[in-house]
Amino acid sequence: MAPVPGSGLAKGLAVTLRTMTKKTVTEQYPDTQPELPPRTRGVIGLFEENCTVCMLCARECPDWCIYIDSHKETVPAATPGGRDRSRNVLDRFAIDFALCMYCGICIEVCPFDALFWSPEFEYAETDIRDLTHERDKLREWMWTVPAPPALDPGAEDPKELAAARKAADKLAAQQQPDRPGQPDRPGQPDRPGQADQSGQPDRPGQEDRP
């Protein structure tokens, strides 16, 4: 069957009319800020106090866009006769967001929770060389990191919390006396037949001899 002349134009106009009658969903950015999902991958914030300069994030980065410099400092011994310790001090922590592909590997492998995702996305630059941000800027983005979501009330406790509670209950049980309400007497056995301090077993009905 041959197509009716002008049917394609009529279908196109019908789509246009349906779209014109619908409510617009365009967000007038930047006058109206968008509502971002809680797990938005904007930029990476640095919590400098937790960084131990282990270099794990730089080694695991597939784009090699993390630059870290540090030096060692000697920490005097806390007690007399103790041994001095050495620690790494962070000098530079920079991320080149022109190379970063936002995979999140650096955040996942950080063992001390020093890197976090921030929903901040307004950091465009006119020069690509300005997309390498140093630790001061990364620290400013740290304060834009949203709080973690609340735990599910029906979820199981973390293994670390369960182990800590078990250890605390065990320690409390060891600190309690064997017989509540009866103080222990030195030199007196708890049960008949148990040896006292002299090494002789206690026999019921036998009096002490001078």
Side-chain angles (χ1 to χ4, degrees):
M1 181 178 179
V4 179
S7 60
L9 179 60
K11 291 180 180 179
L13 290 176
V15 173
T16 303
L17 291 175
R18 286 197 303 267
T19 306
M20 291 176 60
T21 56
K22 291 182 179 179
K23 184 180 180 180
T24 179
V25 294
T26 303
E27 295 180 353
Q28 301 300 323
Y29 176 82
D31 297 333
T32 303
Q33 292 293 327
E35 296 183 2
L36 301 175
R39 298 182 64 182
T40 299
R41 295 188 176 189
V43 290
I44 299 174
L46 172 66
F47 192 56
E48 187 176 337
E49 286 76 6
N50 286 358
C51 181
T52 60
V53 201
C54 64
M55 305 293 292
L56 192 59
C57 56
R59 291 198 301 265
E60 296 295 333
C61 178
D63 291 334
W64 292 87
C65 63
I66 302 178
Y67 311 107
I68 301 176
D69 293 332
S70 65
H71 69 276
K72 289 186 176 294
E73 285 187 355
T74 301
V75 180
T79 57
R83 180 181 300 178
D84 296 340
R85 299 184 297 107
S86 63
R87 66 172 182 175
N88 293 323
V89 179
L90 184 65
D91 293 330
R92 185 195 183 196
F93 195 107
I95 299 178
D96 187 358
F97 286 97
L99 298 177
C100 179
M101 63 180 184
Y102 304 91
C103 63
I105 293 179
C106 57
I107 298 177
E108 297 294 334
V109 300
C110 180
F112 301 103
D113 292 335
L115 299 174
F116 297 87
W117 278 119
S118 168
E120 182 67 32
F121 64 93
E122 297 177 321
Y123 56 97
E125 300 290 346
T126 56
D127 192 346
I128 193 174
R129 291 172 294 183
D130 295 335
L131 287 175
T132 301
H133 296 288
E134 301 293 335
R135 65 175 183 176
D136 294 337
K137 188 63 176 180
L138 301 179
R139 184 177 179 85
E140 291 180 9
W141 283 330
M142 181 62 205
W143 311 124
T144 63
V145 175
L151 298 177
D152 187 359
E156 297 181 358
D157 292 337
K159 295 181 180 179
E160 296 81 3
L161 183 58
R165 288 178 178 175
K166 184 177 180 180
D169 295 341
K170 184 178 180 180
L171 181 61
Q174 292 177 354
Q175 293 178 352
Q176 293 180 356
D178 296 338
R179 293 182 179 180
Q182 295 184 3
D184 296 336
R185 299 178 182 177
Q188 182 177 1
D190 294 337
R191 293 176 297 177
Q194 184 177 359
D196 57 7
Q197 290 183 351
S198 61
Q200 297 294 332
D202 189 14
R203 299 179 182 179
Q206 184 177 4
E207 299 179 356
D208 295 337
R209 298 179 181 180

